Structure formats: C-alpha cells, structure tokens
Amino acid sequence: DYLVARVLERFGVPAVRVNHALVCVNGFYRGVFTLQEEQDDQQFLNAHFPGAEDGSYYEAHDWGPMTFYDGRDPDRFRADSYEPVAGTSEDAMGDVLPFTWATDLMGLLEFANFATRERLDADAGDTIDVDAWLRLLAVEAVVSDADGMFPASHNYLVYHHPERGWLPVRWDWDQAFKTSFVGESPSALF
C-alpha cells in the first residue's frame, strides 16, 4: 500500500495517504501495521480536491461493474453496484431506475461502454480526466495489482470533479506485485 501510494502521488493520481505504525499492546510488541486514510469521506475530498470537493463521488462494490453495464437493460445493473459517498449531492441522484440511481454516474458508464472513436476523440477530455486515468492504468500495469481497478474492477471510487471531469481514486493495494490471488511473491513476475 505504502509503495504504490507514493508512486501514485508522484504521478499526480489521487490516492489515499498511507503510513506505518509500530503497535504495542500493554507493553508487548504486536507488529507493524498499515494506517490508511479513509478514501470515502469528506476529509479525503477536502485534502485532495480543495475548493472542488463537492462533486459526486461513488464507491464500486461487488467487483465494480463499470465495464459490464450494457446500457440496454438498466434493470440488470444492480442497485448496490455503486454507493454514493461523501460529496455526492441529492441533485446528482435521480429516480431513473426502479431504485434511486445516480444520473451523472450512468452518463459515465454509458460513455465508458459505448463511446465511438469519434466521440472519444471529441468528448473524452470533457468527460474524464484522461491524464489521471492513463497514469493509473500505467501504475496498475507496472505493479500488477491482481484485484485492482483494471484487472478486476475492484477497490476504486470515481469522483466527478466539477472542472476536470471523472477521476479514478484507488485504494487497497494489498495484491500489488502479485499476478493472482494465490499468494505468489513478486519474484513470480521475473
């Protein structure tokens, strides 16, 4: 977590702040533990997007279905796939589906799944922060995070910045430098 957070920070990609703590209980050493900033609260938005912390913000659940939305049958898109978190206003929410849903998020999902080459060329910069997405993709390719956003659609949030468009926010890099969930070491990559 710590190493990847530092890399993301250097790449200018929003990421949780991470540090380590030596933990002792009643005078007995219990080990080194990772301390990680909460990624889904207002404090995170204030720290990473000062002056623009009021955009819509959603956390993906159940192996986030960004790439699985087919757009033709919204009822197939589960209500609990994304959860609105800090900063998401009631205005962004709508009664589009049989459940209360985020109309702005549905626009992102439609763009991610159905944009033609022409629309990507014309609208990508207005819809998403292209540099932030590409930087995150580059980091995920290098650190080989088996349960990350791109390999598994997991452990991410999306933030609708009022000026920059949609941004990815990643967290939980416990599978970094692994190629699967079966406990391979980083040496398995070489």
Side-chain angles (χ1 to χ4, degrees):
D1 285 319
Y2 181 82
L3 178 61
V4 177
R6 296 293 69 79
V7 170
L8 288 171
E9 181 180 25
R10 286 187 160 226
F11 270 64
V13 177
V16 297
R17 294 175 285 195
V18 178
N19 214 332
H20 294 106
L22 297 174
V23 176
C24 295
V25 177
N26 295 328
F28 294 99
Y29 175 73
R30 296 294 181 202
V32 177
F33 291 83
T34 302
L35 298 174
Q36 183 169 283
E37 172 183 38
E38 288 294 324
Q39 72 282 354
D40 60 355
D41 64 10
Q42 192 64 46
Q43 185 176 352
F44 179 88
L45 293 176
N46 294 342
H48 294 276
F49 307 107
E53 63 273 359
D54 293 329
S56 298
Y57 195 34
Y58 302 94
E59 181 176 354
H61 291 287
D62 297 325
W63 303 89
M66 182 176 286
T67 57
F68 304 121
Y69 174 63
D70 70 6
R72 294 178 297 273
D73 184 5
D75 291 331
R76 291 179 52 205
F77 195 73
R78 292 183 37 201
D80 60 352
S81 297
Y82 285 92
E83 174 188 358
V85 292
T88 304
S89 71
E90 291 296 320
D91 293 339
M93 304 301 290
D95 193 17
V96 185
L97 305 180
F99 45 84
T100 301
W101 195 242
T103 56
D104 59 345
L105 179 63
M106 295 301 273
L108 170 65
L109 299 176
E110 185 275 331
F111 181 81
N113 285 279
F114 302 111
T116 62
R117 175 60 188 227
E118 292 77 23
R119 184 169 173 213
L120 283 171
D121 289 342
D123 298 337
D126 294 330
T127 305
I128 63 173
D129 185 322
V130 175
D131 288 341
W133 287 90
L134 290 176
R135 289 177 181 147
L136 176 61
L137 177 60
V139 171
E140 287 210 7
V142 170
V143 302
S144 187
D145 184 31
D147 70 339
M149 181 175 185
F150 293 106
S153 290
H154 196 230
N155 295 334
Y156 74 94
L157 299 98
V158 289
Y159 176 64
H160 197 189
H161 190 283
E163 296 167 8
R164 295 169 59 189
W166 288 97
L167 293 154
V169 176
R170 269 298 317 276
W171 59 282
D172 189 12
W173 295 86
D174 64 333
Q175 298 295 315
F177 306 106
K178 295 182 179 182
T179 56
S180 74
F181 293 108
V182 294
E184 289 138 20
S185 68
S187 63
L189 298 173
F190 303 103

